[in-house]
């Protein structure tokens, strides 16, 4: 959809405005659209012209429905200002219909062999597809008052009841505007200022323009104003319409027919008989919102006896809750202080700059990123982690924890948004036959197993963690150490890979968030960093590791993708790690929508 730039003042919606809240709430849908193969190819400039041509044709069908919906909404509005605002939006759509084929009249399209202007006649050759039809029917049905929970259009008694239709219509149309404004800005940020022959620069420029951004803000502001007097139930209806529109937008982008090879989704051509997909992940703060050590400490403190309580004979003697809280606080403070000192001691005296890296590469050297050098440095962190764990055992803070309490805590553990859904999709897809492994410093593997078991269907995830020692379902305070350091993690990683069948093509992916994950992140074919750990960035930066945002990284890969896909091979130990804002990005990378 395209609306030409206008000289209008942008009205920025408040953070608690309805439109802003819905956009934030349904971030997942915007991410899935952004990572669609169509948008990735368009951003890279490699999108085949026929695919773009068909998309423009679908946009024309959509714009016609948009203009009609605005007209119906204008008739329903009982406020003169609202009528005027809707009328201006409708006129903008009509102008866009007149100018829409300007995208394909640029001489740049000659590189694709298009020797004449397409004109709007090409729309007749491209009938409306099912995804576009579903969205246009949804928008027009909403604008006609065919909304669940609303009276039949002919039975609306008051102007206020009709005004609700205008609000519902804006709720169904605003997400489209905001999504295209979002895509325009995301793609504009990737354009090289010196690249003048990007074939879709005009398309990107339209949606990133001040005019389109302002029109989007005006549409959101209008939705907010039309919704002011609505009840909670009516606002819930708008939320459902907004969400449905976002899902239909996803279908629209994924319905665009591509015949060219694409870098994503990674599983699109997966053959379980030939390929092996190995997914590794850290647990604490990668999968979880809270670190598991804090959870175990809290269980110990809450269930510990008070200082004036007598403890039953024959049971493991525990510290009182106040003693536990003080001891845990001291351990935590000491860990934090010594961790920072350890990280500082690992940093080389001279940082490897990106300029040095370029010189080394141009001269055929690769010493700028040396995996073994980093491995040696992380041995210091491994020694530190072992000392810290020994202090925890000696302190006795984990004595007396009941297995059932740990299990219940695990079942209530909050996982990061999108984590559970992604892992469930991966393990339940029989066509993938993927292996999922968690490598964690967690002191209690039972806590992880309980968390994944309660998530549903994730019992098959392989857990590699430490274990608490129990005596009749009560912890002794000892920890059976299996994975307590970066060196332990990479040993476990290597052992799992070595156990894979040699007659299959392995694709290994590691997802982590901390310095302890660095060796595994870098050795995997694809290393993905979640979160914003400053220590991870600092150590990686000083050892020549490059951190590349996932979406721009995929666009770059798509540019390099050969006709047969041979130019795009994921390789471990390249020194490149990809950063993701959350699990939705990872979901889109692997599975698409």
């Amino acid at each position: 959809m395209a609306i030409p730039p206008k000289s209008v003042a942008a009205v920025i919606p408040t953070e608690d405005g309805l439109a802003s809240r819905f956009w934030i709430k349904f971030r997942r849908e915007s991410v899935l659209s952004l990572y669609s193969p169509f948008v990735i190819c368009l951003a890279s400039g490699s999108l085949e012209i026929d695919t773009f041509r068909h998309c423009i044709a679908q946009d024309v069908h959509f714009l016609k429905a948009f203009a009609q919906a605005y007209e119906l909404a204008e008739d329903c509005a009982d406020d003169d200002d609202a009528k005027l605002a809707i009328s201006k939006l409708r006129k903008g759509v009509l102008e866009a219909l007149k100018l829409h084929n300007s995208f394909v009249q640029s001489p740049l399209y000659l590189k694709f062999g298009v020797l004449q202007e397409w004109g709007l006649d090409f729309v007749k050759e491209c009938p409306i597809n099912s995804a576009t039809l579903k969205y246009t029917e949804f928008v027009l049905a909403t604008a006609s008052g065919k909304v669940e929970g609303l009276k039949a259009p002919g039975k609306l008694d008051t102007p206020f009841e009709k005004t609700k239709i205008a609000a519902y219509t804006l709720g169904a149309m605003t997400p489209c505007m905001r999504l295209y404004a979002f895509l325009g800005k995301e793609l504009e940020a990737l354009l090289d200022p010196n690249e003048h022959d990007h074939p879709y620069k005009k398309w990107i420029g339209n949606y990133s323009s001040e005019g389109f951004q302002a029109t989007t803000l005006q549409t959101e502001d209008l939705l907010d104003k039309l919704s002011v007097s609505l009840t909670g139930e009516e606002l819930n209806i708008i939320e459902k319409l907004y969400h449905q529109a976002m899902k239909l937008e996803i279908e629209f982008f994924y319905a665009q027919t591509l015949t060219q090879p694409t870098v994503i989704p990674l599983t699109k051509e997966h053959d379980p008989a030939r390929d092996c997909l190995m997914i590794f992940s850290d647990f604490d703060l990668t999968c979880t919102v809270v670190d598991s050590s804090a959870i175990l400490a809290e269980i110990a403190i809450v269930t510990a006896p008070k200082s004036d309580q007598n403890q039953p004979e024959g049971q493991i003697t525990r510290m009182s809750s106040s003693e536990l809280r003080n001891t845990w606080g001291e351990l935590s403070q000491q860990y934090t202080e010594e961790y920072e000192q350890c990280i500082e001691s690992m940093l080389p005296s001279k940082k490897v700059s990106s300029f040095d890296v370029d010189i080394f590469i141009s001269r055929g050297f690769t010493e700028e990123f040396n995996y073994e050098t980093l491995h040696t440095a992380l041995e210091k962190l491994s020694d530190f982690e072992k000392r810290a764990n020994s202090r925890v055992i000696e302190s006795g803070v984990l004595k007396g924890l009941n297995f059932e309490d740990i299990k219940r805590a695990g079942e209530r553990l909050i996982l990061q948004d999108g984590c559970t859904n992604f892992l469930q999709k991966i393990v339940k897809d029989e066509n993938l036959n993927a292996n999922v492994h968690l490598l964690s410093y967690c002191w209690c593997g039972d806590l992880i197993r309980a968390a994944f078991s309660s998530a549903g269907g994730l019992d098959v995830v392989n857990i590699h963690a430490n274990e608490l020692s129990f005596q009749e379902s009560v912890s002794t305070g000892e920890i059976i150490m299996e994975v307590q350091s970066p060196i332990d993690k990479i040993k476990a990683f290597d052992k799992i890979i070595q156990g894979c069948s040699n007659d299959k093509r392995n694709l290994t992916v590691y997802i982590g968030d901390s310095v302890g994950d660095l060796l595994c992140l870098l050795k995997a074919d694809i290393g993905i960093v979640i979160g914003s750990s400053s220590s991870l960035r600092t150590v990686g930066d000083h050892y020549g590791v490059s951190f590349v945002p996932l979406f721009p990284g995929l666009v770059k890969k798509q540019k390099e993708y050969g006709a047969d896909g041979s130019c795009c091979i994921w390789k471990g130990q390249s020194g490149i790690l990809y950063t993701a804002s959350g699990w939705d990005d990872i979901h889109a990378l692997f599975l698409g929508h």
Side-chain angles (χ1 to χ4, degrees), residues 133-158:
L133 183 63
K134 284 175 68 175
Y135 200 158
T136 55
E137 288 181 341
F138 163 72
V139 168
L140 291 175
T142 303
S144 300
K146 298 174 183 177
V147 178
E148 184 180 351
L150 190 66
K151 291 181 181 180
K155 298 181 180 180
L156 297 174
D157 300 323
T158 66

Side-chain angles (χ1 to χ4, degrees), residues 29 33 130-139 172 241-254:
E29 282 69 20
S33 294
S130 60
T132 306
L133 183 63
K134 284 175 68 175
Y135 200 158
T136 55
E137 288 181 341
F138 163 72
V139 168
L241 292 170
Y242 192 106
H243 192 200
Q244 179 64 12
M246 289 292 286
K247 290 189 286 187
L248 289 170
E249 283 288 359
I250 294 173
E251 289 188 39
F252 175 82
F253 285 114
Y254 281 88

Side-chain angles (χ1 to χ4, degrees), residues 316 392-394 396-400 468-469 474-479:
I316 295 175
V392 169
I393 296 172
E394 292 167 5
V397 293
L398 299 178
K399 276 186 180 181
L468 283 180
S469 174
V474 177
S475 67
T476 64
E478 295 292 324
I479 305 173

Side-chain angles (χ1 to χ4, degrees), residues 212-468:
F212 189 83
Q213 299 292 321
T215 301
T216 299
L217 289 167
Q218 286 185 325
T219 308
E220 292 174 324
D221 184 56
L222 181 58
L223 172 60
D224 290 345
K225 288 178 179 177
L226 290 171
S227 306
V228 167
S229 58
L230 299 186
T231 66
E233 183 178 349
E234 290 162 348
L235 293 178
N236 287 338
I237 291 174
I238 294 182
E239 180 176 334
K240 290 178 182 178
L241 292 170
Y242 192 106
H243 192 200
Q244 179 64 12
M246 289 292 286
K247 290 189 286 187
L248 289 170
E249 283 288 359
I250 294 173
E251 289 188 39
F252 175 82
F253 285 114
Y254 281 88
Q256 304 307 315
T257 304
L258 280 81
T259 58
Q260 66 192 98
T262 59
V263 294
I264 60 169
L266 291 178
T267 58
K268 69 181 183 301
E269 296 177 358
H270 181 82
D271 180 358
R274 180 194 64 191
D275 304 319
C276 182
L277 178 60
M278 306 289 293
I279 300 178
F280 296 83
S281 177
D282 175 46
F283 182 66
D284 287 318
L285 303 182
T286 296
C287 294
T288 68
V289 174
V290 181
D291 190 278
S292 64
S293 61
I295 294 172
L296 292 171
E298 191 61 26
I299 295 172
I301 293 168
V302 169
T303 61
K306 295 181 179 179
S307 54
D308 57 353
Q309 274 184 288
N310 293 322
Q311 300 187 40
E313 294 183 9
Q315 291 189 6
I316 295 175
T317 304
R318 305 183 63 186
M319 283 188 279
S320 67
S321 57
S322 59
E323 288 176 318
L324 267 171
R325 192 174 297 278
N326 290 335
T327 303
W328 177 252
E330 292 171 1
L331 288 170
S332 298
Q333 182 177 351
Q334 185 177 3
Y335 180 91
T336 300
E337 292 173 355
E338 293 187 7
Y339 177 83
E340 292 173 356
Q341 293 169 7
C342 182
I343 294 297
E344 188 68 27
S345 70
M346 289 168 50
L347 304 181
S349 57
K350 183 179 183 299
K351 170 184 165 183
V352 179
S353 70
S354 57
F355 176 75
D356 294 332
V357 169
D358 292 339
I359 292 176
F360 279 128
I361 292 176
S362 67
R363 295 179 181 176
F365 298 109
T366 58
E367 287 84 359
E368 72 287 347
F369 169 71
N370 188 298
Y371 183 84
E372 295 304 324
T373 301
L374 179 59
H375 189 289
T376 301
L378 285 170
E379 290 175 0
K380 290 184 179 181
L381 183 60
S382 294
D383 292 339
F384 159 76
E385 294 286 4
K386 291 176 182 179
R387 290 195 302 273
N389 284 332
S390 294
R391 287 198 296 267
V392 169
I393 296 172
E394 292 167 5
S395 71
V397 293
L398 299 178
K399 276 186 180 181
L401 273 69
N402 188 285
F403 178 81
E404 289 302 319
D405 290 336
I406 293 172
K407 183 179 177 182
R408 280 192 292 271
E411 291 169 347
R412 297 169 185 168
L413 196 62
I414 299 174
L415 300 182
Q416 297 273 6
D417 289 343
C419 176
T420 300
N421 182 57
F422 168 71
L423 293 176
Q424 285 175 336
K425 289 283 181 68
I426 288 292
V427 300
K428 290 181 179 180
D429 191 332
E430 296 180 357
N431 293 324
L432 291 182
N433 192 27
N435 293 305
V436 181
H437 296 264
L438 255 78
L439 306 182
S440 174
Y441 288 174
C442 178
W443 294 324
C444 183
D446 290 314
L447 183 76
I448 302 176
R449 283 185 279 272
F452 276 20
S453 178
S454 66
L458 296 181
D459 303 82
V460 296
V461 172
N462 300 283
I463 309 298
H464 309 269
N466 307 301
E467 304 288 350
L468 283 180

